[in-house]
Structure formats: structure tokens, C-alpha cells
């Protein structure tokens, strides 16, 4: 391919796609650091003429943003830990123990994931009230697990399938019990898959809106996504500067997670383990 | 050290019988090879001995103990897998030490055993490497080492050389045989490669469709195959089979077919004497056919053939010729002239002739 052809067939589409994806982030960034007047009237809305930190400072001092942030972090980490552990054990059982009905069971788990939260939130709310878990912050952890476990299980099934059965058999012949095989041989090899599942769980919990909005009513129990939309939007008045500042800080954990684990993430998605 | 015995062992997957009523003995210290085409049940049999498959019927003994319901980890066996199955997250040392650690052996003893095995296998300098940092041959040695350090009652090997390239396979074949002489542990080895079976086994078990066809020492198997399947499976190029009719002339019994007529030695003729149909399939190995100078030079065996293809292999040549309407492969010295398309006269070595029942395929001799 010549250089020009290469540009038109690969470079140009990728550039356009990149702009399409990154534009919202750019918009978020410039809005965060622009002066209030400039947000509405500006010769070129893509540029910043007058820098300011007032939105960031305002967000951190006038709202309970840091508290929401802490809440979200706690819930996301808790839900991730719970979901990945449960999913790993489930996926292992489905793939390797081959109990009767394990295949339909695997499919059934995946079907759970297809039911949208918008349908589930009313019956689930009923359950929460009966259990006395309504408006309890930690209750979001098991609630998020209801959609994270099916997804992670399904993802880990794919990953565990790619691990040669002989490794386990070698372990069994070498003198290990099933549990020991799972812990000492399969678990260390599964790290890329587990990290992928964890990244997914973390991002999904971090972004979750509906359940957090419906089940958490006191301001103390709000997450970032709910807190921002309820406190920074009143009627048709949008605190654009603070909203964008909150969103900008809000994406940082996800960026950090992806940044450090992207290689594992790719390996986990490919479901492959080259020895 | 232990003998292994199978008594009427069967394995069924649903309606499929994969291993059918297999009985055999592997004496202590023997190197026994299971050989057969893929799907013949050899690997399943090995896996049943290992305890990785349940047994549908029959009994398996290791030593004096019935092991049907014994977990693999309690059978004191070691297994080498086709894809090596080294633990990818451990280095060679840890791979080899894994089983010993599970047995709560002291660190000093583990270290001694691992280093000794590594020394024997020539991988002492690789102990710190991960499996993915090693070549196929090195991984194979590491897998053998992992089995050796255990000092097991029985070694089980499932096509351990089939992932190696041809040259390395020949070398490892020799090393495995040496290793067996050195550690002297009962070994059961599965392969689909008849050359591996012939060169390594003290005895060979030939299987087909889950049934043992013949169990014998390599030479016996080669010289006296029990049926047409074994005769065709062992040996490369395979034995030639020609349809023939029996014909008595005077005192002598001949097998005659389209384009050939060959005498059957008197000692063996007796076994065919009573045959009602007079139809047999005769078998002759490529090296037991010779090219004669002129037609009819050997009145006891005359074969008229047309040369179709010749393959020169260096030390020998293979001639693919047509006798009547049947194909025949011959193995000769490369000095014998075999012009393509020419007519040649051949003779069979009567002493090496085989005959099979066309119906049952069982060997008469």
C-alpha cells in the first residue's frame, strides 16, 4: 500500500473515529475550566479564553461530591469483589465439574443478564423493602451483583474454556484435590480473565444510575452519578461547569483502571492463553 | 514399582463403546506400548489406568490393589501429556517440585530429587525458566522430569512425542528408551506411530475400535501378525495384500492370482489344506519381494508386474508396481533398475509369505 492509500484506508477513518469518541471528553474538559459567562457566549466554544478553577472548587466545597465519590468507590469495589469471586467459582463449576444440567445452567445465567434493569427495579425494590435493606448504602453491593454475576460468569466461562484440561489432570495426577487444583493451578492462570471481569464490574457499578437513584433516598447514600444529577440540576437550571467538573473527576478511576490493566484486558477478552 | 492388570475393562460413552472388554497384564518394569489409529481407544484405556476416566465395566489393578474407585492422586502414577501440560505460571523447578510439595516432602529432599532428575534429562540450566521460554524438546524434558521426580509406581505417557518435529522425535525416542532402562519403572506408552511402538516397546498392544487385536513383542508382531489389520498397521510401507486362489499341483500348493503364482511352503500348506472356498488373501512385505533377472527364473514364484512409480530414498528405493489389477509395493536396493512403465519379473520370498482369511481377516500364518 502506498502512503496515501494507507492514510485514506486506515489513518483517516481512525482519526475520524477518534474525534467522534473523544469529542465529549474534550467538551467536558473545556467546560470545566471555562468562566461562567464564556460557557454561554464565546467566539469559539472549542477554545478557552479565560481559565478558571471556580467550578472545581465550587463542586468540592459547595456540594458533597467527595462523599458521593467515596460512596461510589466503596460500592463499586465491594460489588466487584463479590461478583468476581462468585462468578469465578460458578464458572469453574459449570465448565469443569460437568454436573448434570451444567450447560443449560450456563445459558440460563446468561439469560439473566439480558433482562433490563428497567423491568427489574420494581420487583427488586419490593424485595429490598421486605428485607429492610431500602436506603442502606451497602445494599447496592448485592444489588449490583444481580447483573454483574451473570455477566462475569459468562465472561469467565469463555476464559476458563481456553485453559487446557490437561493442566488440571496433571494437577490431579500430581496429587492435588479439586479445590487445590482450582486454587494453585487454575486461579493463577486465570488472572487475566479475572482482571477483565473486575474491570467490567467496576466500570458498570461506577456508572450505574437507575438502582442507585431509586433505592437510595437520603443524600448521605448518593453515588456520584445520582448526586450530580439531583444536586446540580434543578429544574431547567444546569450547573454546567460543576457538572462537567464532576464528570471529569468521575471518569478518573475508570481511566486509571484501564490504563494499568489494558494488556490483561485484551488477553482476557481474547480468551486466549498462549503458553 | 508395580505391575498393572486390566480385567475385562470396558468404557462406554452413552451408547458408544470406546473400549471393549480389554484384559491384559503389564509386568513390573515392562515398557508397554499401546498403538492404533486415532479413536481406537488406546488413550481412553490409558486415562482409565490414570483415573482420569471412570470405568464402565471390569477391574484395574495397580500392584495388588483394585484402583477403580481410587482418585488419580492416590494411585502413585505419573503421567506425561501430549501437550506437556506444564503449569505455565511456574518455572521448571516449581513444576517439578509441585507434586513433591503436595506430599509434604522436606525442601532439601525436593531440591535433591529435582536437581538429580534435571541432571539426567540435561535441563539443569533451565530450572529457572518458564515453560513458554523453552523449546518443544525442552518442555518435553521438563514434563518427563516432573514425572520422574515422583518416583511413581507406573509411568503413563500419552503420545508424548507427537508435538515434536521429526528429527527431535527420533532423538527423544532414543532418550526415552535409555531413560526407561535407567529408572526401570513400569511404563505404559500410547502412540499412533508404529515406528515409535516398534522401537520403544518391550511389548506392543495393537488396538482397533476399542478391541485388542494382538499383544506381542515387536519382532513377533512384525513377523507373525495375528490378522490383516495388524499386518497392515505395523511396518512402513505397509504389507502388500493380494487376493488369490489356492491351487494344488502335484505335491505342491500354490497361491495364484491375476499376474502371479507363488508356492506355499509345505509346513504352512497344512494349515490351508482344509479350506473349503480355496480363496485367501496373501500378504507379503515390500522387502520380501525381489526382482529376478528373467521371467520364470524361479519356477516356485512368478510375478509379472509393470512399474508405475519409483521413489528413491537414498539407501533404498520403493517401487510401486501393478500386478494384474492389484497394486504392490517393493523395496529394493537403489541399484536395481526399474524403468517407469517397463515390465519386470518378481519373486516372493516364500518363507515370509502370510495368508489371511478374506472373511474374518484372521491370519492363517
Amino acid at each position: 500500500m502506498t502512503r496515501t492509500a494507507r492514510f485514506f484506508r486506515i489513518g483517516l477513518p481512525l482519526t475520524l473515529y477518534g474525534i467522534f469518541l473523544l469529542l465529549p471528553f474534550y467538551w467536558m474538559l473545556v467546560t470545566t475550566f471555562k468562566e461562567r459567562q464564556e460557557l454561554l457566549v464565546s467566539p469559539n466554544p472549542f477554545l478557552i479564553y479565560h481559565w478558571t478553577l471556580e467550578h472545581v472548587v465550587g463542586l468540592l466545597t459547595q456540594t458533597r461530591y467527595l462523599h458521593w465519590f467515596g460512596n461510589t468507590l466503596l460500592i463499586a469495589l465491594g460489588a466487584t469483589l463479590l461478583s468476581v469471586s462468585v462468578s469465578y467459582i460458578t464458572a469453574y463449576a459449570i465448565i469443569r465439574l460437568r454436573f448434570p444440567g451444567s450447560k443449560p445452567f450456563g445459558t440460563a445465567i446468561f439469560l439473566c443478564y439480558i433482562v433490563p434493569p428497567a423491568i427489574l427495579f420494581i420487583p427488586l425494590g419490593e424485595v429490598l423493602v421486605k428485607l429492610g435493606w431500602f436506603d442502606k448504602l451497602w445494599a447496592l453491593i448485592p444489588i449490583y451483583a444481580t447483573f454483574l454475576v451473570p455477566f462475569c460468569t459468562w465472561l469467565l466461562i469463555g476464559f476458563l474454556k481456553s485453559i487446557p484440561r490437561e493442566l488440571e489432570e496433571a494437577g490431579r495426577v500430581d496429587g492435588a484435590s479439586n479445590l487445590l487444583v482450582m486454587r494453585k493451578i487454575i486461579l493463577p492462570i486465570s488472572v487475566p480473565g479475572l482482571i477483565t471481569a473486575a474491570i467490567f464490574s467496576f466500570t458498570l457499578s461506577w456508572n450505574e444510575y437507575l438502582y442507585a437513584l431509586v433505592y437510595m433516598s437520603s443524600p448521605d447514600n448518593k453515588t456520584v452519578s445520582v448526586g450530580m444529577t439531583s444536586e446540580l440540576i434543578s429544574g431547567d437550571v444546569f450547573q454546567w461547569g460543576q457538572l462537567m467538573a464532576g464528570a471529569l473527576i468521575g471518569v478518573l478511576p475508570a481511566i486509571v483502571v484501564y490504563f494499568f490493566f489494558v494488556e490483561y484486558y485484551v488477553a482476557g477478552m481474547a480468551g486466549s492463553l498462549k503458553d | 514399582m508395580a505391575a498393572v492388570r486390566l480385567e475385562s475393562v470396558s468404557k462406554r460413552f452413552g451408547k458408544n463403546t470406546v473400549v471393549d472388554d480389554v484384559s491384559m497384564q503389564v509386568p513390573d518394569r515392562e515398557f508397554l506400548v499401546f498403538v492404533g489409529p486415532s479413536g481406537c481407544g488406546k488413550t481412553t484405556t490409558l486415562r482409565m489406568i490414570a483415573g482420569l476416566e471412570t470405568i464402565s465395566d471390569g477391574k484395574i489393578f495397580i500392584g495388588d490393589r483394585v484402583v477403580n474407585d481410587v482418585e488419580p492422586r492416590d494411585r502413585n502414577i505419573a503421567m506425561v501429556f501430549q501437550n506437556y501440560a506444564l503449569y505455565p505460571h511456574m518455572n521448571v523447578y516449581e513444576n517439578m517440585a509441585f507434586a513433591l510439595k503436595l506430599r509434604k516432602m522436606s525442601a532439601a529432599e525436593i531440591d535433591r530429587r529435582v536437581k538429580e532428575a534435571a541432571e539426567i534429562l540435561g535441563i539443569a540450566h533451565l530450572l529457572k525458566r518458564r515453560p513458554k521460554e523453552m523449546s518443544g524438546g525442552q518442555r518435553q524434558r521438563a514434563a518427563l522430569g516432573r514425572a520422574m521426580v515422583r518416583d511413581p509406581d507406573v509411568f503413563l505417557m500419552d503420545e508424548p512425542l507427537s508435538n515434536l518435529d521429526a528429527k527431535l522425535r527420533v532423538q527423544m525416542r532414543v532418550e526415552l528408551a535409555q531413560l526407561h532402562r535407567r529408572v526401570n519403572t513400569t511404563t505404559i506408552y500410547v502412540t499412533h506411530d508404529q515406528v515409535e511402538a516398534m522401537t520403544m516397546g518391550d511389548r506392543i498392544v495393537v488396538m482397533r475400535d476399542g478391541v485388542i487385536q494382538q499383544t506381542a513383542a515387536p519382532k513377533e508382531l512384525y513377523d507373525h501378525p495375528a490378522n490383516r489389520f495388524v499386518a497392515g498397521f505395523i511396518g512402513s510401507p505397509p504389507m502388500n495384500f493380494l487376493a488369490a486362489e489356492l491351487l494344488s499341483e502335484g505335491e505342491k500348493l500354490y497361491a495364484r492370482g491375476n499376474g502371479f503364482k507363488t508356492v506355499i511352503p509345505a509346513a504352512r500348506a497344512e494349515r490351508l489344506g482344509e479350506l473349503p472356498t480355496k480363496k485367501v488373501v496373501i500378504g507379503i512385505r515390500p522387502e520380501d519381494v525381489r526382482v529376478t533377472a528373467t521371467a520364470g527364473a524361479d519356477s516356485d514364484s512368478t510375478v509379472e508386474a509393470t512399474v508405475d512409480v519409483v521413489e528413491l530414498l537414498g539407501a533404498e528405493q520403493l517401487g510401486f508396481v501393478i500386478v494384474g489389477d492389484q497394486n504392490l509395493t517393493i523395496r529394493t536396493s537403489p541399484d536395481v533398475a526399474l524403468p517407469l512403465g517397463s515390465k519386470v519379473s518378481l519373486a516372493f520370498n516364500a518363507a515370509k509369505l502370510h495368508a489371511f482369511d478374506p472373511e474374518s481377516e484372521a491370519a492363517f500364518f
Side-chain angles (χ1 to χ4, degrees), chain B residues 79-100:
Chain B
M79 187 152 171
V80 180
F81 295 85
Q82 179 173 358
N83 62 3
Y84 321 132
L86 292 168
Y87 311 126
H89 56 296
M90 302 182 192
N91 64 28
V92 173
Y93 187 97
E94 290 161 342
N95 261 286
M96 289 166 75
F98 183 71
L100 305 182

Side-chain angles (χ1 to χ4, degrees), chain B residues 272-347:
Chain B
L272 294 177
E274 303 300 312
L275 211 62
T277 62
K278 302 284 179 199
K279 285 197 186 303
V280 292
V281 171
I282 64 159
I284 187 83
R285 293 207 181 268
E287 61 269 30
D288 297 325
V289 184
R290 65 177 191 281
V291 180
T292 56
T294 52
D298 183 342
S299 62
D300 275 347
S301 181
T302 56
V303 183
E304 297 307 318
T306 311
V307 179
D308 191 20
V309 175
V310 178
E311 283 181 358
L312 180 64
L313 301 180
E316 60 188 25
Q317 68 181 354
L318 299 178
F320 299 90
V321 304
I322 298 167
V323 177
D325 53 358
Q326 307 184 78
N327 293 316
L328 185 79
T329 309
I330 63 173
R331 192 201 296 259
T332 70
S333 145
D335 303 328
V336 174
L338 290 174
L340 291 187
S342 66
K343 303 252 182 243
V344 287
S345 298
L346 310 173

Side-chain angles (χ1 to χ4, degrees), chain A residues 115-192:
Chain A
V115 182
I119 293 178
L120 278 178
F121 81 95
I122 292 174
L124 204 56
E126 193 113 330
V127 173
L128 280 189
V129 171
K130 291 231 164 93
L131 287 172
W133 291 4
F134 198 79
D135 198 22
K136 299 265 185 348
L137 182 64
W138 53 262
L140 284 177
I141 293 177
I143 291 173
Y144 287 177
T146 59
F147 62 86
L148 292 179
V149 166
F151 182 76
C152 294
T153 306
W154 177 74
L155 191 136
L156 287 173
I157 283 177
F159 188 83
L160 288 176
K161 259 187 193 163
S162 73
I163 298 177
R165 185 174 284 274
E166 283 87 352
L167 282 180
E168 282 167 55
E169 294 177 341
R172 289 174 63 199
V173 170
D174 265 351
S177 62
N178 268 337
L179 265 178
L180 214 56
V181 166
M182 183 169 129
R183 207 157 55 86
K184 293 248 174 166
I185 298 173
I186 304 305
L187 187 63
I189 304 173
S190 305
V191 168

Side-chain angles (χ1 to χ4, degrees), chain A residues 20-262:
Chain A
F20 179 75
L21 286 183
L22 292 176
L23 197 62
F25 287 93
Y26 179 72
W27 195 256
M28 200 161 77
L29 196 75
V30 293
T31 309
T32 302
F33 296 109
K34 261 186 203 174
E35 279 192 351
R36 200 177 295 264
Q37 286 80 5
E38 211 181 305
L39 288 172
L40 304 171
V41 188
S42 171
N44 183 348
F46 288 98
L47 298 178
I48 301 175
Y49 294 95
H50 301 283
W51 291 81
T52 178
L53 282 174
E54 61 171 306
H55 304 308
V56 179
V57 173
L59 179 78
L60 299 182
T61 54
Q62 290 159 22
T63 70
R64 306 198 63 200
Y65 186 80
L66 285 178
H67 184 76
W68 303 333
F69 194 91
N71 281 351
T72 318
L73 197 63
L74 185 77
I75 297 303
L77 288 177
T80 300
L81 193 70
L82 175 70
S83 306
V84 173
S85 329
V86 170
S87 305
Y88 176 66
I89 296 168
T90 314
Y92 185 81
I94 290 174
I95 283 296
R96 287 299 144 93
L97 301 187
R98 286 189 295 182
F99 54 90
S102 63
K103 269 197 175 166
F105 192 75
T107 316
I109 284 182
F110 185 60
L111 287 178
C112 292
Y113 182 67
I114 295 176
V115 182
I119 293 178
L120 278 178
F121 81 95
I122 292 174
L124 204 56
E126 193 113 330
V127 173
L128 280 189
V129 171
K130 291 231 164 93
L131 287 172
W133 291 4
F134 198 79
D135 198 22
K136 299 265 185 348
L137 182 64
W138 53 262
L140 284 177
I141 293 177
I143 291 173
Y144 287 177
T146 59
F147 62 86
L148 292 179
V149 166
F151 182 76
C152 294
T153 306
W154 177 74
L155 191 136
L156 287 173
I157 283 177
F159 188 83
L160 288 176
K161 259 187 193 163
S162 73
I163 298 177
R165 185 174 284 274
E166 283 87 352
L167 282 180
E168 282 167 55
E169 294 177 341
R172 289 174 63 199
V173 170
D174 265 351
S177 62
N178 268 337
L179 265 178
L180 214 56
V181 166
M182 183 169 129
R183 207 157 55 86
K184 293 248 174 166
I185 298 173
I186 304 305
L187 187 63
I189 304 173
S190 305
V191 168
L194 292 173
I195 287 180
T196 310
I199 289 178
F200 260 108
S201 304
F202 185 80
T203 341
L204 286 175
S205 324
W206 187 267
N207 293 335
E208 209 283 331
Y209 182 72
L210 183 63
Y211 290 151
L213 174 73
V214 179
Y215 301 144
M216 297 300 123
S217 50
S218 47
D220 261 355
N221 290 344
K222 284 184 176 163
T223 59
V224 168
S225 54
V226 175
M228 291 217 317
T229 46
S230 62
E231 308 282 317
L232 297 176
I233 304 173
S234 38
D236 55 354
V237 180
F238 289 74
Q239 309 275 353
W240 280 122
Q242 295 194 3
L243 272 173
M244 289 301 117
L248 190 67
I249 301 171
V251 297
L252 289 180
I255 290 179
V256 168
V257 164
Y258 275 92
F259 183 78
F260 282 106
F261 295 115
V262 68

